[in-house]
Amino acid sequence: MRFFNTYSRQIEKFEPRDPARRIVGIYTCGPTVYSRAHIGNFRAYIFEDLLQRHLELRGYKVHRVMNITDVDDKTIRGAREASVPLTKFTAQFKEAFFEDVETLRIKRADEFPAATDQSYIDRMIEMIRILISRELAYQAEDKSVYFRINKFPDYGKLAHFDLTQLQSTGRVKHDEYDKEHIGDFALWKAWDEEDGEVKWDSPWGPGRPGWHIECSAMSTALLGDEIDIHCGGVDNIFPHHEAEIAQSEGVTGKKFVRYWLHCAHLLVDGQKMSKSLGNFYTVPDVMAKGYTGRELRYALLRVHYRVPLNFTWNGMNEARESLGRIDEWLARLQEITEKENVECPTPNAERPIQKTAFEDALDDDLNISAALGFLFESIRETNRAMDENKLDAGSAKAWLDWWKRINTVLDLQSESEAVVPPEATQLAQERDTARREKNWKRSDELRDRIFALGWEVRDTKDGQKLTRRAAK
Ligand code: AMP
Ligand code: ZN
């Protein structure tokens, strides 16, 4: 297996810390629960889901941790504006997050540590204490504690950033007055009035942790000092992940992460989908347009994680169409396996299944586009063989078994979503009769009525097939 490591900017062969036990520790930066996550965030989580599932398909045991950032500037501001306690404010968005995870069929991480958990706060304080004792951090006059980036020579290695270019352009914010270097980042933020009730005691006075130290504390607490894979979106590289390296390695003296994997952004009209630009959709927004979680999962999954993906409604319709092709293919295969002694003039004429092509593509830095390309090429070929009545029950069964295996990674099998409602089935039967009577006008009318119910009719040599129609 090979991955592109942001640290080296190279494709590297994957070797976990513990190859014998085949355990892989993965840390993924989770949501900041100040509002509902948007589907750009979910592109990152779906890429991480693909990573986990593929490692598992290849026989690794994955231990995945995803943190929940439930205290930072944005959550505090949100709670203040809503006039509710911080925990109450964040609880609703945590709940919404887990709902969306379910809708998109994302495997849950083994742990979802929350930054406000007292045991993690204690650990953050302990890490900051060690950093100060090593002169890697200092308390400034504003009472906040900052990391001293000049003392950590590797600072900037992940982002490939030249420290000398980090120069002060003047005093931009009041809380930066006391820093030694413009790039020094807060480990502990001294309490101020705007924080209200949100504060913890520390050796440096009341305050709260900085965002970066939260991830260093929770990742090392649950996965150990050295982590196999750390993921996030590309916007996390600097300063967040750069800071995580400085803090964690500053404390442990060990290499924090072996492989850094970052996904490119989900875009809207060429711009990053983000809260601040206001160009975002949430999962319920997309569902409200008539799409399913499975369709959105497909739309966010289908492009290689390092390639920016433009979100469009047309793309959603394409996702629906692709899934329709998979559903129809599976139904046809199923039908063949169910027909005993199927007449098959040239049994096994269809070429043998290249069982590994899909997985091999994913081994290559999770090349999902190539993997799906292979799936659809296989669908085309088997459909052709089925059209010519050249696919025997044994081969059909082998394809279905293969699908079952790759679907542990894709998780795209249709469930109740594809159940055709009885009204649509009734209309389809009437349409069938109309067509037998060559009453094309009535047949078209019935097609329109079926369409109005959300279904599309396709005439195939095996009769009519109903699929969910694309939403407008
Ligand atoms: P946040 O809640 O902003 O900390 O983001 C949570 C995760 O979503 C991080 O891994 C971000 O890098 C990622 N993310 C944010 N916006 C996008 C986007 N438009 N496309 C892909 N990933 C994103
Ligand atoms: Zn993080």
Side-chain angles (χ1 to χ4, degrees):
M1 221 178 271
R2 295 173 299 283
F3 296 126
F4 181 85
N5 189 346
T6 309
Y7 201 88
S8 64
R9 294 282 198 275
Q10 277 177 3
I11 298 273
E12 294 178 13
K13 185 169 182 289
F14 176 64
E15 273 179 42
R17 271 189 69 225
D18 192 349
R21 288 167 64 218
R22 294 184 77 77
I23 292 177
V24 179
I26 304 183
Y27 186 83
T28 53
C29 291
T32 306
V33 281
Y34 71 106
S35 65
R36 196 165 194 132
H38 57 69
I39 58 171
N41 301 130
F42 282 102
R43 182 187 191 197
Y45 307 140
I46 283 181
F47 136 67
E48 292 151 3
D49 183 58
L50 175 67
L51 172 66
Q52 167 163 12
R53 286 168 181 268
H54 181 57
L55 285 164
E56 287 172 347
L57 184 77
R58 285 299 197 203
Y60 289 103
K61 288 186 254 341
V62 174
H63 180 186
R64 188 153 75 89
V65 176
M66 178 185 273
N67 74 297
I68 307 277
T69 300
D70 58 357
V71 56
D72 79 327
D73 295 347
K74 288 181 275 193
T75 44
I76 293 175
R77 193 184 320 125
R80 197 180 54 235
E81 284 169 7
S83 304
V84 291
L86 182 67
T87 41
K88 187 157 178 234
F89 179 72
T90 55
Q92 57 186 316
F93 300 116
K94 281 186 199 178
E95 199 177 307
F97 172 72
F98 288 114
E99 256 171 45
D100 294 346
V101 160
E102 184 97 352
T103 304
L104 295 176
R105 305 180 179 191
I106 295 172
K107 251 189 152 167
R108 288 173 70 105
D110 299 278
E111 277 120 344
F112 290 97
T116 52
D117 185 319
Q118 187 62 47
S119 66
Y120 297 124
I121 297 273
D122 292 345
R123 189 178 172 88
M124 294 172 213
I125 290 175
E126 178 57 14
M127 289 179 90
I128 298 169
R129 208 186 50 71
I130 296 172
L131 292 172
I132 292 177
S133 73
R134 296 190 180 151
E135 295 185 358
L136 282 163
Y138 59 94
Q139 184 170 27
E141 271 175 31
D142 65 354
K143 297 271 185 279
S144 291
V145 179
Y146 296 95
F147 191 93
R148 184 177 274 131
I149 58 169
N150 277 335
K151 274 275 194 173
F152 190 79
D154 282 351
Y155 194 77
K157 286 255 172 82
L158 177 70
H160 295 231
F161 213 73
D162 182 358
L163 254 191
T164 55
Q165 292 183 356
L166 257 186
Q167 278 165 6
S168 175
T169 49
R171 292 178 170 182
V172 266
K173 273 197 212 147
H174 73 281
D175 64 354
E176 285 174 353
Y177 279 1
D178 308 308
K179 295 198 295 188
E180 291 175 5
H181 187 290
I182 183 83
D184 289 354
F185 56 86
L187 297 166
W188 188 259
K189 296 190 171 187
W191 181 85
D192 74 24
E193 270 168 35
E194 302 221 314
D195 294 339
E197 294 294 298
V198 183
K199 58 173 186 279
W200 287 267
D201 285 332
S202 82
W204 316 286
R208 60 187 164 98
W211 172 39
H212 314 312
I213 195 76
E214 294 178 9
C215 279
S216 282
M218 293 186 276
S219 60
T220 53
L222 293 163
L223 293 168
D225 293 345
E226 294 168 88
I227 295 166
D228 290 307
I229 306 177
H230 195 315
C231 312
V234 285
D235 57 310
N236 280 163
I237 298 173
F238 193 88
H240 186 49
H241 290 164
E242 194 74 61
E244 276 189 49
I245 296 176
Q247 300 161 148
S248 307
E249 298 190 358
V251 170
T252 67
K254 296 178 194 151
K255 190 169 173 63
F256 175 45
V257 167
R258 294 169 75 86
Y259 303 88
W260 284 98
L261 269 59
H262 292 101
C263 78
H265 282 142
L266 183 68
L267 311 176
V268 183
D269 298 328
Q271 274 191 306
K272 179 192 172 192
M273 181 178 287
S274 74
K275 282 274 152 65
S276 51
L277 291 171
N279 60 352
F280 64 91
Y281 298 103
T282 63
V283 174
D285 289 341
V286 179
M287 301 301 102
K289 291 256 186 186
Y291 295 98
T292 63
R294 179 171 83 120
E295 288 162 347
L296 181 54
R297 174 177 175 82
Y298 184 86
L300 295 176
L301 181 77
R302 71 196 167 107
V303 170
H304 191 285
Y305 76 95
R306 284 195 290 118
V307 177
L309 167 60
N310 210 20
F311 179 78
T312 60
W313 296 110
N314 200 28
M316 285 302 301
N317 292 343
E318 280 168 22
R320 175 165 289 177
E321 212 169 281
S322 301
L323 290 170
R325 275 163 66 199
I326 295 176
D327 293 347
E328 200 177 323
W329 176 65
L330 292 174
R332 285 184 82 180
L333 290 171
Q334 190 64 40
E335 214 172 287
I336 291 184
T337 61
E338 282 159 12
K339 272 190 218 152
E340 269 179 85
N341 302 322
V342 67
E343 269 208 33
C344 184
T346 44
N348 298 319
E350 186 260 328
R351 69 172 170 78
I353 302 178
Q354 258 188 43
K355 282 212 170 78
T356 60
F358 183 91
E359 296 159 41
D360 292 347
L362 291 182
D363 280 350
D364 180 17
D365 195 29
L366 297 179
N367 193 345
I368 187 73
S369 326
L372 289 173
F374 175 74
L375 168 64
F376 284 106
E377 184 193 311
S378 306
I379 291 179
R380 257 193 310 278
E381 282 187 21
T382 29
N383 276 342
R384 201 177 308 130
M386 288 190 275
D387 289 344
E388 293 168 5
N389 204 19
K390 280 185 186 162
L391 197 87
D392 64 294
S395 305
K397 168 88 174 41
W399 278 109
L400 285 172
D401 288 344
W402 176 72
W403 164 258
K404 220 185 252 174
R405 181 172 164 84
I406 67 167
N407 193 48
T408 61
V409 174
L410 296 172
D411 206 347
L412 290 173
Q413 181 100 32
S414 131
E415 280 166 10
S416 56
E417 341 187 289
V419 175
V420 184
E423 309 94 274
T425 311
Q426 170 70 30
L427 292 174
Q429 278 163 4
E430 286 174 32
R431 183 170 175 271
D432 195 42
T433 313
R435 288 174 70 79
R436 279 177 213 282
E437 293 165 356
K438 301 204 178 335
N439 186 347
W440 309 120
K441 190 162 166 282
R442 172 133 179 88
S443 159
D444 286 349
E445 270 169 28
L446 287 161
R447 175 195 290 272
D448 292 345
R449 283 173 63 192
I450 295 168
F451 190 81
L453 289 173
W455 295 80
E456 203 155 5
V457 180
R458 273 190 279 178
D459 296 304
T460 73
K461 76 174 188 39
D462 299 324
Q464 301 180 84
K465 286 270 184 305
L466 294 189
T467 46
R468 290 284 304 262
R469 74 168 159 81
K472 291 250 168 90

